Amino acid sequence: MYAQSLNAKDLTPVAAEDATKLAVFQARIDAEEKIEPNDWMPEQYRRTLIRQISQHAHSEVIGMQPEGNWVTRAPTLKRKAQLIAKIQDEAGHGLYLYSAAETLGVSREELYEQLLSGRAKYSSIFNYATLNYADMGAVGWLVDGAAIMNQIPLCRCSYGPYARAMILICKEESFHQRQGYDIMLAMCRGTPEQRAMAQDALNRFWWPSLMMFGPHDSNSTHSELSLRWKIKRFSNDGLRQKFLDATVPQAHYLGLSIPDPDLRLNGATGHWEHGPIDWDEFARVLAGDGPCNRQRMKHRRQSEADGSWVREAAADYAAKHRRAAERAA
């Protein structure tokens, strides 16, 4: 999910690294040692982590928007409280991840500027509209379900701060996935109109969810290096297969139809196989031409501007107390 930006080419030249240091570094990776912020690391390793962690953080922040759209319209007090708790979790995840990225020598202000200027990416899935409340179920079940498939292996990422942040994030994301499936189950057991809403939500979010794992391995620019350095533990296609095998039976239990006429169970392998993914759509959305790209970024920029007085007041307050402490000393 958060490796989509890794398919972008980094054209900034990297100086040749010391061969001895590279060998020692790779030996530590192979020995499953964690790399910590003060340890030597190849520049390409650092850049790859910044791209991946920052995209992950940006995705958590932007991902609050499609859900926030339904807080006031959720059908019951219980559902409103669940949705608010989930959005609060996503904000916390962004905080953890920006903090992890800062340990690599980049500031949060730099990362935010990259997002607001459009130079940084976030997960393509958040550029699709949530048209009815059933979409809250589909987002939780499918989107957070795909995220879990990607994030659990990240708990064993070779970079220590990222791996440790992911442990708490995964615990909370598992709640999000269960909450989404609970919504879908309730709607599928409800009226014919509610079941139709659930099917419609699945129809619209199925293919974008499969795209979340990124391009096929043969077209993924940085996957080989990320796997060798154990930033990633599984390939894009391997994670997509895990998601497919877990999710198709869940859809069958709900009584819903997967919108893929080519979907079939391979009797020889025991794996579900899907039809062709529209990678042209994936590229368009990732490039900024999705259904809600402009809306998401307009809202994010407006929120940044609206909150400037809070940040300025907090900075002035901190400076005031710092000066008082200095005088007292």
Side-chain angles (χ1 to χ4, degrees), residues 1 18 24 64 110 137 162 169-170 188 201 210 220 225 258 324:
M1 173 181 183
D18 182 278
V24 171
M64 294 187 287
E110 289 178 79
Y162 192 22
I169 290 173
C170 283
C188 288
L210 290 186
S220 186
L225 200 56
I258 301 289

Side-chain angles (χ1 to χ4, degrees), residues 248-262:
V248 172
Q250 293 172 351
H252 290 167
Y253 181 80
L254 292 172
L256 299 177
S257 300
I258 301 289
D260 179 359
D262 297 323

Side-chain angles (χ1 to χ4, degrees), residues 125 128-135 138 142 196-209 259 281:
I125 192 70
Y128 290 87
T130 48
L131 303 179
N132 64 57
Y133 182 70
D135 290 6
L142 299 176
M197 288 171 64
Q199 181 64 61
D200 175 61
L202 172 58
N203 292 346
R204 286 181 288 105
F205 277 93
W206 176 253
W207 290 108
S209 295
E281 177 185 339

Side-chain angles (χ1 to χ4, degrees), residues 118-252:
R119 291 187 294 121
K121 303 295 185 184
Y122 55 88
S123 181
S124 61
I125 192 70
F126 299 119
N127 289 316
Y128 290 87
T130 48
L131 303 179
N132 64 57
Y133 182 70
D135 290 6
M136 295 299 94
V139 167
W141 171 38
L142 299 176
V143 176
D144 293 321
I148 283 289
M149 290 294 173
N150 188 69
Q151 291 174 357
I152 289 177
L154 289 176
C155 295
R156 297 188 291 123
C157 171
S158 60
Y159 188 59
Y162 192 22
R164 290 188 288 273
M166 290 312 305
I167 293 172
L168 178 57
I169 290 173
C170 283
K171 290 178 181 178
E172 294 177 345
E173 290 289 357
S174 65
F175 159 76
H176 300 169
Q177 193 272 343
R178 292 187 182 96
Q179 180 246 359
Y181 193 74
D182 179 67
I183 292 173
M184 297 297 280
L185 185 62
M187 299 198 76
C188 288
R189 290 177 174 175
T191 65
E193 290 80 6
Q194 289 171 325
R195 174 178 284 275
M197 288 171 64
Q199 181 64 61
D200 175 61
L202 172 58
N203 292 346
R204 286 181 288 105
F205 277 93
W206 176 253
W207 290 108
S209 295
L210 290 186
M211 296 175 193
M212 284 175 63
F213 296 97
H216 287 306
D217 297 335
S218 57
N219 298 320
S220 186
T221 306
H222 298 282
S223 275
E224 183 181 353
L225 200 56
S226 294
L227 287 166
R228 180 169 17 120
W229 282 336
K230 298 185 179 179
I231 297 172
K232 293 171 61 175
R233 292 285 178 159
F234 298 98
S235 68
N236 294 353
D237 288 330
L239 289 168
R240 192 166 14 247
Q241 186 63 62
K242 286 175 177 287
F243 172 77
L244 199 67
D245 290 340
T247 308
V248 172
Q250 293 172 351
H252 290 167

Side-chain angles (χ1 to χ4, degrees), residues 71-113:
V71 170
T72 60
R73 294 180 285 171
T76 67
L77 181 60
K78 173 185 174 183
R79 296 298 187 190
K80 291 180 194 294
Q82 289 175 339
L83 201 50
I84 291 170
K86 181 181 179 184
I87 294 167
Q88 179 178 284
D89 286 347
E90 308 294 6
H93 298 173
L95 176 64
Y96 306 150
L97 293 163
Y98 285 127
S99 297
E102 285 180 309
T103 66
L104 291 159
V106 62
S107 72
R108 193 169 312 193
E109 289 74 20
E110 289 178 79
L111 298 177
Y112 246 62
E113 191 279 327

Side-chain angles (χ1 to χ4, degrees), residues 17-92:
E17 304 279 10
D18 182 278
T20 302
K21 289 182 177 180
L22 279 172
V24 171
F25 178 82
Q26 189 61 53
R28 292 189 62 195
I29 296 291
D30 294 341
E32 298 290 344
E33 292 184 28
K34 286 285 183 280
I35 306 302
E36 298 298 340
N38 291 331
D39 295 340
W40 184 89
M41 64 186 73
E43 178 61 19
Q44 194 62 42
Y45 179 83
R46 189 185 73 86
R47 291 186 187 182
T48 300
L49 279 167
I50 290 173
R51 279 198 304 274
Q52 179 165 332
I53 298 172
S54 65
Q55 179 184 320
H56 192 165
H58 299 330
S59 299
E60 299 284 359
V61 170
I62 297 294
M64 294 187 287
Q65 290 187 40
E67 294 162 335
N69 188 43
W70 284 93
V71 170
T72 60
R73 294 180 285 171
T76 67
L77 181 60
K78 173 185 174 183
R79 296 298 187 190
K80 291 180 194 294
Q82 289 175 339
L83 201 50
I84 291 170
K86 181 181 179 184
I87 294 167
Q88 179 178 284
D89 286 347
E90 308 294 6

